[in-house]
Amino acid sequence: MNTRTIVVMILTLWLVMGLGFLTAYFRDRREGKSKFQCWLSVEGLLFILSVIISILVLVYQSVGR
């Protein structure tokens, strides 16, 4: 895959994961959970992992070429 395709794929992944996290975040905040608990929910951890793994993929692709 070329760089443009990888970047579009990563941005789409961030968009989908971010929207899913925001939905869960605001639902949990309405229920009275703290911000820390929201970030440690399944959706929060998946969003954090999507950002970290995407950055690692970009670094690996740029170094590997």
Side-chain angles (χ1 to χ4, degrees), residues 4-63:
R4 291 180 186 162
T5 306
I6 293 171
V7 169
V8 169
M9 179 187 68
I10 288 173
L11 290 176
T12 305
L13 174 70
W14 284 351
L15 175 66
V16 171
M17 296 300 289
L19 290 174
F21 171 66
L22 281 176
T23 302
Y25 178 80
F26 287 122
R27 181 193 65 225
D28 290 345
R29 291 296 288 170
R30 271 193 308 257
E31 293 174 359
K33 292 184 180 178
S34 69
K35 291 180 183 181
F36 185 71
Q37 288 174 327
C38 293
W39 278 101
L40 291 181
S41 68
V42 173
E43 293 87 358
L45 293 175
L46 286 174
F47 178 67
I48 292 168
L49 284 175
S50 73
V51 171
I52 292 171
I53 291 172
S54 299
I55 291 172
L56 291 175
V57 166
L58 286 175
V59 168
Y60 177 77
Q61 288 292 326
S62 66
V63 171

